[in-house]
Amino acid sequence: MFISVFDIFKIGIGPSSSHTVGPMIAIRRYLERLAGFPGLTDQKGLRLSVTLHGSLAFTGKGHATDQAIFLGAMGARPDTLDPDAVTGMMEELREKRSIQPDGLPQIAFDPDKDLIFDYGPALALHSNGMTCRLLGQDGEELDQFVYYSIGGGFVVSEAEYSNTRNLKEDLKNQDVPYPFASAKQMLAMGRESGKSIARMKLENEAASSSAKEVEGRIDRVWAAMDSCINRGISSTGILPGGLKVKRRAGEIYQKLIREGRTSPPFEHTVMDWLGVYAMAVNEENAAGGRVVTAPTNGAAGVIPAVARYYLDHCPDANAEGIRTFLLTASAIGGIIKANASISGAEVGCQGEVGSASAMAAAGLCAALGGTNEQIENAAEIALEHHLGMTCDPIGGLVQVPCIERNAVGAVKAVTAASLALRGDGSHFVPLDGCIETMRQTGLDMRDQYKETSTGGLAVNIVEC
């Protein structure tokens, strides 16, 4: 299995890649599966039922998992859905209480009855489980199928999930010029070929399409990230969900603009710019706007913030540097996903903001001319200092502490890149060792600290 830059960076909607984007994809996959069954088109009285398990159940309402499933059942795709059309689509479903999928007869799907939140133990394979059932006219079960949303918008069946356990081995057999499955292999291939990480990643991508096409798609990814920042710094109001969290990015942005016109900035003001870019993205994400998984929605602000920092605050920054940034970041993200996890429900926020910070540090280091060894060092520094970070969103919403956490992750990424660029690339802890430590830490972490909202800040802060 080749993990593409476009697997790591998916254009979608908020507020969560694992709890919103993934379930929307999963229900579409299930309906496509049903469309292949002979004889269904002639049946009457069919009903769809979906049960959410584990983290999808515990934080599903806060992450709009229910809405995502309803929209997906109506044919919506996360990469093309217009957020402004959501209200009308939901009103239509509540009125009709049925769906009409392509290639299938009308199927009853009552949003008040046919989506079940199972608050018991999670399914054995993964904490983000989702059971889809097709029921007949008399309520008999005609079909049942389980999907897992494993982070970053990746969705797998039970059989596919078993295959992901061998992902590291699969990466060694990729039909690409540079099939690295670890940072060690990546550095060795770079030394042997004399090519940068970004160049190797580009040539891997170009194995199935032209380099020009790949670069064009990367430019579209960056345009979506940049647009998200711009929407975030232009918006005001209260975020949905009941916590009454106020959007702050727009106000902070205007203050920074005014201060820049009237007085010399403090040296640390650059951290405020990083923070406002990251918060802008994650406020948009929390509002259900269009974002790019990077590598997840909950951590979507770190990479755009550091990339925008590169363009706005680094001399000689350009579009080619952004391509180098994103190619390099995706290479690091692929290694982390192959060897550990990018899912908060699986390993905590170290797998989300920690991975994003490592990817951003590597991308910035590459864009600023770092060697492959310095890039690997930058990623390791950033990831190492997120180890053990829990995922404990208050109210199951990707708001507190997630929005500010992205701002801090962006600052850590720039610090890590700067430290690495001051060295020669040699360092004590290899990135592969840090990734393995993150994996083991995630296994040892108690479930209440892995996106269930049953521990940590989620239970120690009174909602008001």
Side-chain angles (χ1 to χ4, degrees):
M1 176 182 177
F2 172 57
I3 302 179
S4 168
V5 60
F6 307 110
D7 291 326
I8 296 296
F9 300 128
K10 299 185 185 79
I11 298 174
I13 60 168
S16 172
S17 52
S18 59
H19 288 61
T20 312
V21 175
M24 187 181 293
I25 293 171
I27 194 64
R28 285 179 55 86
R29 282 188 59 179
Y30 184 64
L31 294 173
E32 289 168 0
R33 164 188 162 84
L34 294 181
F37 285 15
L40 276 186
T41 53
D42 300 325
Q43 294 207 33
K44 305 292 185 182
L46 296 176
R47 177 173 293 277
L48 175 66
S49 175
V50 179
T51 302
L52 303 178
H53 309 278
S55 179
L56 287 184
F58 282 107
T59 65
K61 292 182 179 178
H63 284 91
T65 304
D66 46 358
Q67 181 173 274
I69 289 171
F70 300 147
L71 294 170
M74 297 178 73
R77 295 169 50 99
D79 57 337
T80 58
L81 174 64
D82 179 1
D84 294 332
V86 169
T87 299
M89 293 177 69
M90 290 301 302
E91 288 175 352
E92 178 185 346
L93 179 63
R94 293 195 178 281
E95 179 183 343
K96 294 182 176 179
R97 300 190 183 277
S98 65
I99 56 175
Q100 182 70 64
D102 291 341
L104 290 168
Q106 188 175 58
I107 300 175
F109 190 40
D110 187 335
D112 296 325
K113 298 179 180 178
D114 294 325
L115 182 64
I116 301 162
F117 291 80
D118 175 10
Y119 297 112
L123 299 183
L125 291 185
H126 193 280
S127 57
N128 282 344
M130 174 175 156
T131 301
C132 302
R133 295 181 177 88
L134 181 67
L135 307 178
Q137 191 165 11
D138 297 324
E140 73 276 19
E141 186 176 287
L142 303 179
D143 182 66
Q144 175 180 310
F145 205 78
V146 176
Y147 292 99
Y148 296 96
S149 180
I150 61 173
F154 289 87
V155 173
V156 294
S157 66
E158 289 185 312
E160 290 166 343
Y161 182 81
S162 298
N163 291 337
T164 66
R165 299 301 87 190
N166 299 315
L167 186 54
K168 182 177 178 180
E169 292 301 314
D170 291 344
L171 287 179
K172 295 178 182 177
N173 302 312
Q174 302 169 79
D175 189 19
V176 294
Y178 303 99
F180 50 81
S182 67
K184 182 178 180 180
Q185 292 173 352
M186 179 182 70
L187 292 177
M189 290 178 187
R191 285 191 293 268
E192 184 176 343
S193 66
K195 295 179 179 179
S196 68
I197 294 169
R199 186 67 205 180
M200 290 190 293
K201 185 64 175 172
L202 178 61
E203 292 188 19
N204 284 349
E205 297 286 340
S208 57
S209 58
S210 70
K212 185 175 181 180
E213 180 182 347
V214 173
E215 289 175 342
R217 292 182 67 189
I218 291 171
D219 290 345
R220 287 193 289 277
V221 166
W222 168 243
M225 289 180 172
D226 197 37
S227 293
C228 189
I229 292 175
N230 292 333
R231 288 195 307 275
I233 58 178
S234 303
S235 301
T236 58
I238 304 298
L239 293 172
L243 293 184
K244 300 179 182 179
V245 173
K246 179 184 176 183
R247 282 183 182 253
R248 291 183 289 161
E251 182 179 339
I252 295 172
Y253 177 76
Q254 291 301 324
K255 286 182 179 179
L256 288 169
I257 294 293
R258 289 195 299 270
E259 291 169 5
R261 292 172 180 161
T262 59
S263 58
F266 293 109
E267 293 292 339
H268 65 252
T269 298
V270 70
M271 292 190 291
D272 296 335
W273 284 106
L274 278 163
V276 78
Y277 297 148
M279 290 173 65
V281 171
N282 285 87
E283 287 175 356
E284 276 296 294
N285 178 60
R290 184 159 305 287
V291 297
V292 179
T293 60
T296 66
N297 281 29
V302 177
I303 287 170
V306 178
R308 181 74 170 258
Y309 161 81
Y310 162 74
L311 280 179
D312 290 357
H313 300 276
C314 295
D316 303 320
N318 54 40
E320 186 58 38
I322 289 292
R323 295 187 194 110
T324 295
F325 185 115
L326 294 178
L327 283 164
T328 305
S330 70
I332 299 301
I335 290 171
I336 294 173
K337 177 171 174 52
N339 294 277
S341 176
I342 57 172
S343 168
E346 196 168 19
V347 296
C349 200
Q350 59 175 353
E352 295 205 31
V353 170
S355 296
S357 188
M359 293 163 65
L364 179 61
C365 187
L368 295 178
T371 65
N372 289 351
E373 287 72 20
Q374 289 172 320
I375 291 165
E376 185 261 359
N377 187 14
E380 187 280 325
I381 294 171
L383 184 60
E384 179 181 338
H385 298 291
H386 284 89
L387 290 176
M389 181 175 281
T390 60
C391 184
D392 50 355
I394 295 176
L397 298 165
V398 192
Q399 296 180 18
V400 183
C402 318
I403 294 170
E404 288 181 353
R405 188 168 284 177
N406 275 257
V408 176
V411 172
K412 284 186 179 182
V414 173
T415 301
S418 182
L419 285 171
L421 286 166
R422 295 291 182 183
D424 62 3
S426 60
H427 55 107
F428 196 80
V429 178
L431 176 58
D432 290 328
C434 192
I435 292 171
E436 174 58 18
T437 301
M438 183 179 80
R439 187 189 70 82
Q440 293 177 9
T441 303
L443 289 174
D444 292 339
M445 192 179 289
R446 295 172 67 178
D447 285 345
Q448 58 260 49
Y449 299 115
K450 294 191 284 189
E451 208 169 4
T452 58
S453 286
T454 58
L457 287 175
V459 299
N460 287 307
I461 304 299
V462 178
E463 296 181 29
C464 57

